[in-house]
Amino acid sequence: MASKLLALTCIRSEGRIQPWTRPRYPSMPTYPKGVMAEEGSSSMEAGSEAKALFSVVGMTCSACAGSVEKGIKRLPGIREAVVDVLNNRAMVLFHPSFVNDETIREAIEDAGFEATLFRDEMNERSIQVCRITVTGMTCTSCSSTVESALQAIPGVLKAQVALATCEAEVHYNPNIVNHNQILEAIEDTGFEATLISSGEDINKVELQVDGVRTEHSMRVIETSLKALPGVQDIELYPELNKISVSFKPDVTGPRNFIKVTEKIGSRRFKAKLFSQQGERRDTLQGKEIKQYYRSFLWSLVFTVPVFLTSMVLMYIPGIKHGLDTKVVNMLTVGQIIRWVLSTPVQFIIGRRFYSGSYKALRHGSANMDVLIALGTNAAYFYSVYSVLRAASSPHFEGTDFFETSAMLISFILLGKYLEVFTKGKTSNAIAKLMNLTPDTAILLTLDDEGNVANEEEIDSRLIQKNDLIKIIPGAKVASDGFVVWGQSHVNESMITGEARPVAKRKGDPVIGGTVNENGVLHVRATRVGSESALSQIVRLVESAQLAKAPVQKFADRISKFFVPLVILISFTTFLAWFFAGRFHAYPKSWIPSSMDSFELALQFGISVMVIACPCALGLATPTAVMVGTGVGASQGVLIKGGQALESTHKVQCIVFDKTGTLTIGKPVVVNTKLLINMVLQEFYELVAGLEVNSEHPLAKAIVEYAKKFKEEENPAWPEARDFVSIPGHGVKAIVRNKEIIVGNKSLLADHNIAVPAEAEDILAEAEGMAQTGILVSINGEVAGVVAVSDPLKPGAQEVISILKSMNIKSIVVTGDNRGTANSIAREVGIDEVFAETKPEQKAEKVKELQAAGYTVAMVGDGINDSPALVAANVGMAIGAGTDIAIEAADIVLMKSNLEDVITAIDLSRRTFFHIRLNYIWALGYNLLGIPIAAGVLFPLTGFRLPPWIAGAAMAASSVSVVCCSLLLKYYRRPKKLDKLEIRGISIE
């Protein structure tokens, strides 16, 4: 087990690979056939993994990429292989002990393609990730345009653009392209791009240095910081007086950088931490909301008078006469007022639509801006034509539609304001998580004797590894670490979702962002900054919200032809009504008195153009995924994006590991039977005095149980003389002048100690209950039997029962012996058991279930179960604790209880119910709205939809979709889980 854990640690620390798709559960290596994990792990030293990037020539489609990927993965020692058909590349992560890059290249060529290794590009900085805020996107056509532009850049390996978050995540090779070129590419598509973060170094800090007047001073600071031990890289931004420092957190930290900077020269420099990413994101989001709000208010200033002069004041006799006063020929005062007032709305306030449509058309796509620009321009320029003709003709009485263009733009701006405002609400989960960290922390300084010499309040972002932090009652824990002094209860619900406060004492781990409830704690910081559990959770949720669910491909496909189709329908509607009027296909009484047949046809055409809403379709999936993943995070269920969310709601069969999943994973004493007259406390003092010298898990369980009879935290046990450990059998020693032997029957038989029939019965009973019976002999006589068991997790039986009621099949697959596995399965109510299975056999069982037509979820502890977790449709890691396995599972259940398996499935089902509702509304709106706008009801009812009302309906549709997604914020886990009476672990 220790070797496996070592292997796992090595892989996580050295093998970070984020090419085009993230491996779902890369916590264990893939070993060649015939090589056991124990053998393979011996070679898995730090740095034993290698990455190779190949140029693959000849791929034309995804089937080609699949052939290449299969050919590579058939080789031994391949951990991950990802093929990018767009850029004709393959990224491979492998173990050089088993395979080399030449063998991989030959495997690609055997698949029928030419392959070349990029040797000069494969260094430790060969892949970087940058996150960018993209403003100005209105629909999926916009996000697809940006995504296509990014993927076309040489050196970009993967690009994801999320419409709901207005963010892009780009994986790129810094030897070929840099983030400035990526920003330029986005801006070239017509959208504003702002860098959130660049590079993949998680140990990076940005400093704002005041007092710098020359570039020479900046260089002096750079040289001084580079000289510090642990500093890896420095980037200067002279225009912002900003310095970015990458460092090794075990060696140095931000406090050292600030001290060194402020000691340079005449101490005129002042350094502080640059604003956090979250603050910058909030600033950009707030700026966009303010821009739409300001534009809407300005449009109202001009639109309200236009509306009044055309719709209200015309019915007031005195004012009507003034508005109808002729100025030149048939040109009236009212027409001039409406023309003057609507022009700023059309060209100044509405210029964003011209800009957006021009840039979209320039790149061969059409978005919502194109529809708005066409609709408003048709109304505005026909009105201009009508006014000019009235001014030049003594007989022409034209009708203007200035109020149509002005009101359209106003309503659309209102809709966009409400949309960005409500979209901001969908990402509240991340904001809440980021705000959990306290602003300040109390740093303790110790003297030579280990006593507290000084207390200093510092910015919590300045905490460094191994700092000693004081946490007072009611304060938030400032950093991940462990308690070195004090006792208290800590409320971890904001991180794990677990409502009950957790007792903490010396040696216990604590998580940054949790709340200390009563006692004072001194905590040694172990993970700081972006390494902390909270930062990892934030990154996971951010990545989840960027990842597209497969169901979103439906909206992406529609968006490609949606706008051109709407334009075609709009022109067809206009022509149909125009020719119908010209050839008298309908009675003249249908035409309103204020317009002619051409104007009626024009209104129908504009209404069709502006009522169609591609935004609603584009927002249907990502907003629901955003809220769903955020709600899951708040309840201790971390879901890695849309793919995992979509697969989870389809789960029909769940495969459970036993140890650490169905059971606690830690042996405890559950029963004791004495066969001689003796006080139980004295019995356990003798046994603990012996077992305290052993490292065996069963020995530790006995010592832990013996502490119940002592009041001290670390009791002193009797001395054991002549201690002997017999591997696989037990231990013996002299304790208090008595010969104590603790072990199995064979050990007692070797010492000629007879086991009485009563003890034999107790042992048989224990084995039938999946317990391990341990015999204790004192001075050659069996004194008692201690039963040790790995007990079931509280609520395991009830959870399996609920899964049955949900028509989900449950199976146990474990490496333990058959008797223990069957006993545990019977206790929880699972009928199908596969015992004594190796890790690869677990994966084979999952594949068998998938071949039988099941959508399979695998629930395991994230160590020995990784092959099965990878093979399953959904991998759920349980028992994550503070070491959140960010790159491990599709779903991480942070509370380590089985209830959250049900919560994850139920949340997935609820999220997809809302996604379906969104699609029904978005599609239904367009399918009903377009025909009504085209006038299908007009011949029968006389009802027609004015363009400005059609525009208001379009604006309302996308807002309604976002609001439907926001209802997920009120999600509560199934009531049957609240009614569960969670059993405690019974220990006799």
Side-chain angles (χ1 to χ4, degrees):
M1 186 68 175
S3 64
K4 293 178 185 176
L5 283 169
L6 174 62
L8 178 66
T9 307
C10 295
I11 292 169
R12 286 208 184 143
S13 61
E14 296 295 325
R16 290 180 62 89
I17 176 170
Q18 294 180 324
W20 303 281
T21 56
R22 191 192 297 265
R24 285 217 304 272
Y25 207 100
S27 56
M28 291 285 283
T30 302
Y31 299 107
K33 290 182 179 179
V35 178
M36 296 297 293
E38 284 78 3
E39 294 176 49
S41 63
S42 64
S43 65
M44 300 300 296
E45 300 300 330
S48 67
E49 289 183 353
K51 286 182 284 188
L53 179 64
F54 296 89
S55 170
V56 184
V57 179
M59 295 189 297
T60 57
C61 62
S62 58
C64 299
S67 300
V68 173
E69 189 169 330
K70 286 178 183 176
I72 296 170
K73 287 185 174 179
R74 286 194 189 104
L75 297 173
I78 299 296
R79 176 172 161 198
E80 184 59 29
V82 185
V83 181
D84 178 15
V85 71
L86 292 175
N87 293 303
N88 294 313
R89 296 189 178 192
M91 173 71 75
V92 185
L93 181 63
F94 63 98
H95 306 302
S97 308
F98 303 132
V99 68
N100 57 40
D101 48 33
E102 183 60 24
T103 307
I104 298 170
R105 189 188 65 78
E106 290 173 359
I108 298 173
E109 293 192 340
D110 288 342
F113 305 91
E114 294 180 23
T116 308
L117 176 68
F118 287 118
R119 294 184 184 275
D120 57 325
E121 292 178 9
M122 299 317 299
N123 53 56
E124 59 182 276
R125 292 175 58 84
S126 62
I127 295 177
Q128 288 190 4
V129 182
C130 67
R131 295 176 68 89
I132 299 164
T133 296
V134 184
T135 52
M137 295 190 297
T138 57
C139 60
T140 48
S141 177
C142 301
S143 59
S144 298
T145 300
V146 176
E147 203 165 276
S148 300
L150 290 172
Q151 288 173 342
I153 302 172
V156 169
L157 309 177
K158 177 188 174 186
Q160 287 181 316
V161 180
L163 174 64
T165 58
C166 293
E167 285 186 14
E169 183 177 86
V170 185
H171 298 242
Y172 64 98
N173 188 326
N175 297 317
I176 301 174
V177 66
N178 59 45
H179 58 77
N180 289 323
Q181 291 171 300
I182 293 170
L183 292 174
E184 288 172 8
I186 295 174
E187 290 176 348
D188 191 48
T189 61
F191 304 97
E192 293 181 20
T194 307
L195 186 68
I196 299 175
S197 63
S198 65
E200 200 178 25
D201 292 328
I202 60 172
N203 299 311
K204 181 181 284 188
V205 67
E206 294 179 340
L207 300 178
Q208 175 87 47
V209 184
D210 296 328
V212 177
R213 298 186 182 89
T214 64
E215 191 173 332
H216 173 71
S217 299
M218 210 68 165
R219 294 295 175 190
V220 170
I221 296 172
E222 179 188 17
T223 305
S224 301
L225 291 175
K226 272 187 176 178
L228 289 176
V231 172
Q232 296 175 309
D233 189 27
I234 293 180
E235 294 178 46
L236 300 181
Y237 303 88
E239 66 281 1
L240 299 174
N241 284 349
K242 186 178 82 171
I243 299 177
S244 177
V245 186
S246 298
F247 61 97
K248 296 179 181 177
D250 292 322
V251 181
T252 188
R255 277 207 319 280
N256 295 343
F257 307 149
I258 290 175
K259 287 178 183 176
V260 167
T261 303
E262 293 183 345
K263 285 181 180 178
I264 293 172
S266 57
R267 297 178 180 265
R268 60 185 172 86
F269 302 127
K270 293 294 179 185
K272 62 181 180 181
L273 290 173
F274 210 71
S275 62
Q276 294 179 325
Q277 290 179 14
E279 293 172 3
R280 279 177 271 171
R281 184 188 290 105
D282 292 342
T283 301
L284 289 168
Q285 192 179 70
K287 182 181 176 183
E288 186 181 17
I289 292 172
K290 285 180 181 177
Q291 282 177 344
Y292 275 114
Y293 182 66
R294 194 181 302 115
S295 297
F296 171 64
L297 289 182
W298 274 110
S299 71
L300 281 185
V301 170
F302 296 98
T303 302
V304 169
V306 172
F307 172 75
L308 292 175
T309 57
S310 61
M311 303 280 188
V312 179
L313 301 180
M314 295 301 292
Y315 298 99
I316 301 174
I319 300 176
K320 181 182 186 317
H321 177 73
L323 293 173
D324 288 341
T325 301
K326 306 291 189 296
V327 179
V328 178
N329 288 329
M330 301 301 291
L331 178 65
T332 65
V333 172
Q335 288 175 326
I336 294 174
I337 291 173
R338 288 191 290 275
W339 187 8
V340 170
L341 290 173
S342 63
T343 300
V345 178
Q346 182 71 35
F347 297 108
I348 299 176
I349 298 170
R351 70 181 181 276
R352 66 175 69 240
F353 304 118
Y354 287 98
S355 173
S357 56
Y358 165 72
K359 290 167 182 174
L361 292 171
R362 193 181 67 175
H363 288 86
S365 65
N367 60 10
M368 191 190 78
D369 290 337
V370 174
L371 295 178
I372 297 168
L374 282 173
T376 55
N377 277 330
Y380 179 83
F381 284 108
Y382 174 76
S383 301
V384 171
Y385 160 77
S386 178
V387 167
L388 292 177
R389 188 175 173 189
S392 60
S393 170
H395 307 293
F396 179 78
E397 290 188 18
T399 302
D400 65 86
F401 296 131
F402 286 121
E403 79 284 350
T404 296
S405 66
M407 291 173 70
L408 260 176
I409 289 173
S410 296
F411 274 115
I412 289 163
L413 288 173
L414 173 61
K416 292 303 295 180
Y417 164 71
L418 293 174
E419 182 185 315
V420 296
F421 183 78
T422 49
K423 274 201 304 185
K425 299 290 184 183
T426 63
S427 57
N428 274 355
I430 290 180
K432 287 179 180 177
L433 284 169
M434 296 182 79
N435 290 332
L436 287 178
T437 306
D439 295 329
T440 60
I442 301 173
L443 177 67
L444 300 179
T445 306
L446 304 182
D447 57 23
D448 296 336
E449 296 177 0
N451 299 318
V452 176
N454 185 44
E455 293 185 7
E456 179 188 0
E457 188 172 70
I458 62 169
D459 189 318
S460 62
R461 291 177 290 164
L462 296 177
I463 296 174
Q464 298 177 185
K465 271 193 176 179
N466 297 316
D467 278 349
L468 190 61
I469 308 297
K470 179 180 179 181
I471 314 295
I472 60 175
K476 290 180 180 178
V477 177
S479 169
D480 289 5
F482 61 91
V483 178
V484 296
W485 179 89
Q487 292 186 4
S488 183
H489 284 81
V490 175
N491 185 344
E492 297 182 344
S493 61
M494 60 288 299
I495 301 292
T496 66
E498 182 60 62
R500 291 184 294 272
V502 182
K504 300 291 180 181
R505 59 183 183 181
K506 185 176 180 180
D508 287 340
V510 291
I511 309 172
T514 56
V515 178
N516 181 27
E517 295 210 332
N518 36 42
V520 175
L521 296 175
H522 291 180
V523 173
R524 181 75 65 188
T526 55
R527 292 193 180 115
V528 297
S530 53
E531 284 188 334
S532 68
L534 183 58
S535 295
Q536 290 181 352
I537 292 169
V538 168
R539 284 202 301 277
L540 185 146
V541 177
E542 285 179 333
S543 297
Q545 294 182 347
L546 270 170
K548 290 183 179 180
V551 71
Q552 195 173 338
K553 293 176 183 175
F554 171 70
D556 291 342
R557 284 195 296 267
I558 290 177
S559 70
K560 291 179 182 178
F561 58 82
F562 184 89
V563 173
L565 181 63
V566 168
I567 293 171
L568 179 63
I569 293 172
S570 174
F571 275 104
T572 303
T573 301
F574 166 73
L575 292 173
W577 279 102
F578 174 71
F579 286 116
R582 179 60 59 91
F583 295 108
H584 309 292
Y586 59 82
K588 284 188 177 182
S589 60
W590 286 12
I591 303 173
S593 59
S594 59
M595 60 179 70
D596 58 22
S597 60
F598 175 84
E599 291 165 346
L600 180 66
L602 183 64
Q603 273 210 349
F604 281 129
I606 293 172
S607 294
V608 170
M609 196 170 293
V610 298
I611 200 170
C613 185
C615 295
L617 276 171
L619 293 169
T621 299
T623 52
V625 170
M626 282 177 68
V627 181
T629 51
V631 168
S634 68
Q635 300 205 9
V637 178
L638 301 183
I639 303 171
K640 279 184 64 177
Q643 174 74 56
L645 201 61
E646 182 163 347
S647 299
T648 304
H649 91 281
K650 301 174 184 175
V651 167
Q652 301 160 306
C653 176
I654 299 183
V655 176
F656 289 95
D657 175 45
K658 183 185 76 69
T659 306
T661 303
L662 289 173
T663 64
I664 296 293
K666 180 181 178 182
V668 295
V669 174
V670 292
N671 199 6
T672 308
K673 294 291 184 182
L674 296 181
L675 303 179
I676 62 174
N677 289 323
M678 189 176 191
V679 178
L680 192 60
Q681 179 176 346
E682 183 184 352
F683 172 82
Y684 268 106
E685 282 183 1
L686 293 173
V687 176
L690 172 64
E691 294 284 31
V692 76
N693 299 287
S694 173
E695 290 296 319
H696 197 281
L698 297 181
K700 291 182 177 179
I702 292 173
V703 172
E704 196 62 32
Y705 184 77
K707 287 181 181 179
K708 289 178 60 178
F709 301 98
K710 296 279 190 176
E711 293 184 0
E712 313 99 278
E713 183 180 339
N714 294 306
W717 302 109
E719 182 184 357
R721 293 182 289 108
D722 304 328
F723 176 82
V724 178
S725 175
I726 303 97
H729 295 278
V731 291
K732 68 174 185 177
I734 305 297
V735 182
R736 289 180 178 169
N737 298 320
K738 294 178 181 179
E739 185 187 47
I740 312 296
I741 300 176
V742 179
N744 54 24
K745 287 193 291 184
S746 62
L747 178 62
L748 269 63
D750 290 343
H751 289 77
N752 299 318
I753 299 173
V755 179
E758 186 182 357
E760 292 275 11
D761 293 340
I762 296 170
L763 288 174
E765 183 184 349
E767 288 174 7
M769 298 171 64
Q771 298 170 358
T772 301
I774 301 171
L775 295 167
V776 178
S777 165
I778 300 176
N779 288 335
E781 180 185 4
V782 176
V785 180
V786 177
V788 179
S789 174
D790 182 5
L792 278 179
K793 283 192 172 174
Q797 290 175 320
E798 292 86 348
V799 167
I800 299 301
S801 175
I802 293 171
L803 287 173
K804 284 182 180 178
S805 70
M806 296 168 70
N807 295 319
I808 296 175
K809 181 178 182 179
S810 298
I811 297 174
V812 174
V813 179
T814 177
D816 280 4
N817 68 74
R818 196 167 302 279
T820 302
N822 285 328
S823 176
I824 290 293
R826 277 196 307 272
E827 195 171 347
V828 296
I830 296 177
D831 299 325
E832 202 168 341
V833 181
F834 296 88
E836 299 173 7
T837 56
K838 296 176 182 177
E840 61 271 20
Q841 291 173 323
K842 292 183 180 182
E844 287 169 9
K845 182 59 191 173
V846 168
K847 290 174 183 175
E848 285 175 21
L849 291 165
Q850 289 170 329
Y854 288 103
T855 301
V856 182
M858 172 70 193
V859 184
D861 60 8
I863 297 176
N864 296 323
D865 310 305
S866 59
L869 285 157
V870 173
N873 300 91
V874 181
M876 297 187 185
I878 198 165
T882 57
D883 184 18
I884 308 294
I886 289 299
E887 293 192 35
D890 297 314
I891 296 176
V892 180
L893 309 178
M894 293 173 60
K895 285 185 280 187
S896 303
N897 65 36
L898 290 173
E899 295 170 61
D900 285 339
V901 173
I902 296 170
T903 302
I905 294 171
D906 185 68
L907 176 60
S908 172
R909 291 179 176 180
R910 186 71 59 83
T911 301
F912 268 79
F913 171 74
H914 280 263
I915 288 174
R916 290 188 189 102
L917 273 184
N918 285 346
Y919 275 125
I920 289 170
W921 166 249
L923 285 172
Y925 162 82
N926 284 297
L927 291 174
L928 289 174
I930 290 175
I932 291 172
V936 294
L937 299 179
F938 187 67
L940 298 174
T941 64
F943 176 79
R944 62 188 173 87
L945 205 62
W948 63 272
I949 294 180
M954 183 201 69
S957 66
S958 55
V959 175
S960 63
V961 164
V962 178
C963 289
C964 180
S965 296
L966 279 173
L967 291 175
L968 273 170
K969 290 177 71 174
Y970 303 102
Y971 169 82
R972 294 292 178 268
R973 67 181 195 160
K975 289 183 178 179
K976 45 193 166 187
L977 292 182
D978 295 329
K979 294 176 182 177
L980 271 183
E981 293 183 9
I982 299 300
R983 299 177 297 104
I985 301 168
S986 57
I987 301 174
E988 297 181 21

